[in-house]
């Protein structure tokens, strides 16, 4: 049992002003595995003012020293990596087969990169009679979701520390435990008091208070588009910078000349990873009509081969959904898909009989999906894949871009040149060609209603930077 009765504010574990504790459930067992404080506006006030007081000294700390703290944190995370991965498996339900590499090691790689990028803060550019200086934006607030919790936290924290910002973090109520372990590691490396503050609690209370607070200079939010709009509205009167990383409904465009078996296999696995709870999941598979029947067979075979099971079992590909609420949402969408006339190929909204408890959902495939259906336009955030036929590649590109979102995309084609040509035509912040890997050194972020910022890489640092022009 991970019982946390205190918040981490101003370099110390302090009792929360907010009353009561929130329970954290293991979605595989439905057992309570932890408790964290239900923080409130007074906790936000203390945390923001601690970050405000710490800001001048941290901003003035030499970048090499700041980079040293980043590397020290990366080392601590490596040492405690198995513990961190086990915690995320317990609170999120991602199987052990994936959790350490995807939820912990990848983010550490991204964190380390900011140890190197911190030096960019010292660069001075000359433009005519101006000197351009980079300065930290100030006190930052982070509001995060639950699906890749450490990745999302470090994607904000690492560039903020590199730039010289101080921060207040609000983790998701579903998965707050990793953030308490991270705070412990931050304390162990001796990061100056007030640079990192942690306030758990409800979005409508703690999140809104952070968004509104006039002493917060920058808000970085990752979550659903609806909540993103609300925090942007709450932030508007104080004219703070708002960086939004929101939802997606990303296409995988499989070209006429693609290796169909490889492309379909990759596409199915991509959606089923983390039980479909991935903002970049390629949930609309666009297939040439001439090869559609063959592709459906391949997709069903692949989906059926993926083991749904206990996240602690090394053979499990999919674990449970993160929460009962998320499971309900997914089943509602499966119901909607059937009502809309899509053809259910496998899966469905019935509870799998083999599990006595846990929020398990079978991999679900829909064929004959029209891109205008709700199941193709709205983010489901579960293991549900829409297979959509197209007549020619011009139509495929049109369907791919016919979405309110633009977070990610994928193309699969016979030659690199054709794949690149298709990739250029897609309106999304990322495009994965022929199953290429995620790159922590490249910027990540959305077009359209998927957001307005970038995380990771140099562009991720820029979110935390003010540029000053000195004319001389
Ligand atoms: P969510 O929007 O419900 O919650 C995200 C965070 O916002 C939580 O910490 C929550 O407590 C807080 N929150 C909710 N309402 C708030 C309000 N009114 N004011 C302030 N804070 C509020 O999202 P979720 O269910 O936790 O996560 C899933 C969503 O996140 C999906 O839409 C997914 O696509 C998106 N996501 C996006 C990215 C990205 O980088 N673009 C990455 C991961 C997840």
């Amino acid at each position: 049992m991970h019982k946390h009765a205190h918040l981490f504010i101003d370099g110390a574990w302090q009792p929360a002003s907010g009353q009561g504790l929130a329970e954290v459930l293991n979605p595989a067992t439905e057992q309570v595995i932890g408790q964290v404080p239900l923080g409130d506006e007074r906790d936000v006030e203390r945390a923001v003012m601690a970050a405000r007081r710490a800001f001048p000294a941290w901003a003035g700390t030499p970048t090499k020293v700041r980079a040293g703290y980043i590397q020290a944190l990366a080392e601590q995370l490596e040492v405690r990596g198995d513990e961190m991965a086990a915690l995320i498996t317990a609170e999120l339900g991602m199987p052990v087969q994936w959790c350490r590499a995807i939820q912990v090691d990848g983010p550490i790689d991204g964190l380390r990169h900011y140890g190197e990028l911190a030096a960019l803060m010292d660069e001075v550019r000359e433009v005519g009679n101006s000197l351009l200086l980079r300065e930290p934006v100030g006190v930052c607030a982070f509001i995060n979701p639950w699906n890749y919790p450490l990745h999302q936290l470090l994607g904000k924290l690492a560039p903020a520390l590199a730039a010289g910002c101080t921060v207040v973090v609000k983790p998701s109520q579903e998965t707050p435990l990793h953030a308490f372990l991270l705070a412990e590691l931050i304390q162990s490396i001796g990061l100056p008091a007030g640079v990192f503050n942690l306030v758990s609690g409800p979005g409508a209370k703690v999140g809104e208070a952070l968004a509104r607070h006039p002493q917060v200079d920058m808000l970085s939010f990752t979550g659903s588009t609806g909540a993103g709009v609300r925090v942007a509205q709450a932030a508007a009167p104080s004219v703070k910078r708002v960086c939004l990383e929101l939802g997606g409904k990303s296409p995988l465009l499989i070209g006429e000349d693609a290796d169909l078996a490889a492309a379909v296999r990759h596409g199915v696995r991509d959606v089923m990873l983390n039980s479909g709870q991935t903002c970049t999941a390629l949930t609309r598979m666009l297939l040439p009509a001439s090869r559609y029947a063959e592709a459906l067979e391949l997709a069903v075979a692949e989906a059926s081969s993926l083991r749904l099971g206990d996240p602690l079992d090394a053979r499990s590909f999919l674990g449970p959904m993160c929460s009962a609420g998320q499971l309900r949402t997914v089943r509602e969408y499966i119901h909607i898909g059937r009502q809309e006339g899509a053809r259910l190929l496998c899966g469905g909204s019935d509870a799998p009989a083999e599990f006595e408890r846990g929020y398990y959902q079978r991999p679900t495939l829909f064929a004959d999906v029209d891109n205008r259906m709700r199941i193709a336009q709205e983010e489901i955030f579960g293991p549900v894949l829409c297979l959509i036929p197209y007549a020619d590649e011009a139509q495929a590109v049109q369907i791919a871009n016919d979405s309110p979102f633009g977070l990610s995309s994928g193309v699969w084609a016979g030659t690199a040149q054709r794949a690149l040509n298709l990739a250029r035509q897609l309106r999304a912040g990322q495009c994965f060609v022929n199953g290429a890997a995620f790159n922590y050194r490249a910027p990540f972020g959305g077009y359209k209603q998927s957001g307005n910022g970038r995380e990771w890489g140099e562009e991720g640092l820029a979110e935390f930077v003010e540029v000053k022009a000195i004319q001389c």
Side-chain angles (χ1 to χ4, degrees):
M1 177 80 168
H2 304 273
K3 195 165 175 176
H4 298 283
H6 295 96
L7 299 171
F8 190 70
I9 296 176
D10 210 6
W13 292 99
Q14 302 187 10
S17 302
Q19 295 299 303
L21 297 171
E23 291 184 335
V24 183
L25 294 187
N26 177 327
T29 63
E30 302 181 37
Q31 302 293 309
V32 176
I33 54 163
Q35 289 180 325
V36 299
L38 278 164
D40 70 7
E41 294 85 349
R42 290 165 296 174
D43 297 309
V44 168
E45 184 64 24
R46 275 187 298 133
V48 170
M49 294 323 289
R52 172 59 59 201
R53 285 192 301 277
F55 176 64
W58 182 244
T61 300
T63 50
K64 273 200 174 132
V65 176
R66 292 205 303 267
Y69 282 112
I70 290 173
Q71 299 300 6
L73 181 58
E75 273 155 37
Q76 280 304 305
L77 269 168
E78 258 154 27
V79 172
R80 306 278 291 271
D82 284 341
E83 190 184 339
M84 181 61 91
L87 206 49
I88 294 174
T89 289
E91 62 181 355
L92 169 64
M94 190 186 216
V96 289
Q97 181 182 161
W98 307 113
C99 209
R100 168 87 205 224
I102 294 180
Q103 297 276 2
V104 181
D105 293 343
I108 294 175
D109 179 30
L111 173 66
R112 281 203 183 282
H113 190 216
Y114 281 107
E116 298 158 26
L117 292 180
L120 288 177
M121 295 303 293
D122 294 333
E123 279 184 7
V124 178
R125 269 200 303 148
E126 284 185 38
V127 178
N129 68 326
S130 300
L131 295 178
L132 304 191
L133 311 186
R134 290 191 175 100
E135 296 181 350
V137 67
V139 173
C140 302
F142 303 155
I143 301 176
N144 273 330
W146 42 261
N147 58 333
Y148 290 87
L150 184 68
H151 163 99
Q152 280 130 9
L153 210 174
L154 293 183
K156 302 177 192 311
L157 179 63
L161 295 180
C165 297
T166 56
V167 312
V168 181
V169 175
K170 189 204 96 61
S172 162
Q173 279 199 269
E174 274 78 16
T175 59
L177 300 177
H178 73 285
F180 283 80
L181 176 54
L182 189 77
E184 199 186 299
L185 302 188
I186 281 175
Q187 193 177 27
S188 77
I189 63 166
L191 194 73
V195 173
F196 174 93
N197 304 276
L198 173 65
V199 180
S200 50
K205 204 175 247 187
V206 172
E208 289 256 2
L210 285 168
R212 274 197 312 268
H213 205 295
Q215 289 293 331
V216 171
D217 300 297
M218 187 270 197
L219 173 71
S220 182
F221 172 90
T222 301
S224 60
T225 298
V229 169
R230 282 197 295 282
V231 298
Q233 285 168 336
S238 53
V239 199
K240 55 175 58 74
R241 184 180 296 178
V242 177
C243 173
L244 299 174
E245 300 286 344
L246 308 175
K249 192 76 191 182
S250 301
L252 171 59
L253 196 171
I254 299 181
E256 280 148 2
D257 62 346
D259 175 345
L260 195 65
V264 170
R265 178 173 191 268
H266 170 81
V268 170
R269 294 170 75 92
D270 175 90
V271 172
M272 301 310 161
L273 188 75
N274 208 20
S275 297
Q277 302 164 120
T278 303
C279 52
T280 52
L282 303 171
T283 47
R284 293 182 295 140
M285 187 182 284
L286 311 187
L287 293 154
S290 57
R291 307 182 72 186
Y292 193 61
E294 189 191 343
L296 298 190
E297 270 182 37
L298 289 165
V300 171
E302 186 60 32
S304 313
S305 76
L306 302 177
R307 190 184 171 95
L308 173 70
D310 182 349
L312 294 176
D313 182 336
R315 294 166 303 170
S316 299
F317 188 100
L318 301 89
M321 307 303 300
C322 176
S323 66
Q326 196 57 35
L327 178 63
R328 226 176 4 257
T329 303
V330 170
R331 294 204 170 139
E332 275 165 23
Y333 271 109
I334 294 171
H335 186 62
I336 289 168
R338 298 186 81 161
Q339 281 185 328
E340 287 180 308
R343 178 158 54 104
L344 188 68
L345 295 177
C346 62
S349 52
D350 296 340
E354 63 269 37
F355 302 103
E356 277 177 19
R357 57 180 65 83
Y359 310 128
Y360 288 95
Q361 170 60 42
R362 279 193 205 295
T364 296
L365 304 185
F366 275 117
D368 305 342
V369 177
D370 182 303
N371 196 56
R372 297 313 304 168
M373 289 177 181
R374 282 185 63 194
I375 56 166
Q377 287 290 309
E378 298 174 17
E379 186 182 52
I380 298 174
F381 226 54
V384 181
L385 172 59
C386 296
L387 298 129
I388 305 174
Y390 67 80
D392 55 38
E393 282 182 8
Q395 190 196 25
V397 169
Q398 181 268 321
I399 295 172
N401 290 331
D402 176 18
S403 169
F405 298 110
L407 187 57
S408 188
S409 61
V411 298
W412 208 293
T415 67
Q417 194 50 46
R418 275 186 27 77
L420 273 179
N421 180 39
L422 289 168
R424 283 180 204 279
Q425 296 177 64
L426 301 183
R427 300 274 303 154
Q430 298 239 316
C431 187
F432 293 84
V433 167
N434 291 1
F438 190 84
N439 178 4
Y440 271 97
R441 277 140 213 253
F444 173 92
Y447 286 18
K448 301 193 262 179
Q449 290 180 28
S450 288
N452 60 12
R454 289 295 178 271
E455 291 187 337
W456 306 108
E458 275 189 49
E459 288 77 5
L461 183 68
E463 299 286 339
F464 296 90
V465 170
E466 291 280 19
V467 177
K468 180 181 281 173
I470 300 178
Q471 282 62 246
C472 38

